[in-house]
Every structure is written in C-alpha cells, then in structure tokens.
Amino acid sequence: MVVDIALSDDEVDRIFRALADATRRDILRRTLSGEASVSQLAAAYDMSFAAVQKHVAVLEGAGLVTKHPQGRERVVLGNPDRIEQAKKLLDRYEQIWRARIDRLDALLSEGE
C-alpha cells in the first residue's frame, strides 16, 4: 500500500482537531476494528445521539472515518489509510528533530 503524505494545511488541521477530543479518538478506535452504526456508538457514551452524530461528522470531515447507509442505519468505519498519512507526517517531523539533535551532538562533541 502506497500512502501519499502530501496533505494540505487544512487537511492536517482537520485531522489533528478531530483527534484532539477523547470521545472522537474512542469512536475512531472502535470503528477501526470494525463497522459500527451511529446508534451502537451512541449507546456507548453518556451523551445524546445528536452529540455522537456531531463527533462522527467531525471525524468524517477529517477523512478519519467513512459513513454509509445500511438499511435504516448509518454505519461508520475507520479509515486506516488516513491514520497512516497522519503517522507519516509525524514521522517526518520526528526525522527533522532527530537530525537537529544529531547536529547539536556533533557540535558539542567537537568542543571536547
């Protein structure tokens, strides 16, 4: 699987804004392991059905989940490809910082 990490600033903002909320992270965790209807998700939380729908909409807007009709229900499924894109972005930032630390270590070693 080839994952494109070229995300726009708006996409990155939506992804990390969506992941900033504990309920949305939990919904994502649940839907990455299998499909769940919005009703099933709502039953797991001490909040209204409408509130859970809003959380799902934020995740869907970030591309972290997809939602499709199945009979009278709306079924939600996590998108592992989008998670992989976010991971690759974070990996890229880690590489930048590790390179900076390595350069700093080299500079400090020169003075010994």
Side-chain angles (χ1 to χ4, degrees):
M1 166 177 52
V2 175
V3 178
D4 178 20
I5 60 171
L7 297 169
S8 73
D9 286 341
D10 286 342
E11 289 173 308
V12 172
D13 288 347
R14 281 193 299 272
I15 290 168
F16 289 106
R17 207 172 284 131
L19 293 173
D21 182 85
T23 300
R24 289 192 289 266
R25 289 191 305 272
D26 191 60
I27 290 170
L28 180 59
R29 181 189 56 78
R30 290 170 187 268
T31 60
L32 282 169
S33 62
E35 291 183 334
S37 71
V38 177
S39 298
Q40 289 170 324
L41 292 170
Y45 303 101
D46 188 24
M47 63 181 71
S48 70
F49 178 85
V52 173
Q53 277 185 311
K54 287 180 184 180
H55 282 299
V56 169
V58 170
L59 290 166
E60 188 176 28
L64 293 165
V65 300
T66 58
K67 186 171 67 172
H68 63 275
Q70 188 173 28
R72 292 177 39 193
E73 295 277 354
R74 297 288 177 251
V75 176
V76 182
L77 182 63
N79 181 357
D81 291 339
R82 190 60 135 189
I83 298 293
E84 183 67 19
Q85 286 178 313
K87 179 189 174 301
K88 289 198 180 278
L89 176 66
L90 291 173
D91 288 345
R92 199 167 51 193
Y93 287 131
E94 180 184 10
Q95 289 171 358
I96 291 168
W97 278 104
R98 287 190 183 278
R100 288 181 178 178
I101 291 169
D102 290 345
R103 284 195 307 269
L104 181 59
D105 284 344
L107 285 171
L108 293 173
S109 294
E110 285 177 9
E112 293 178 355

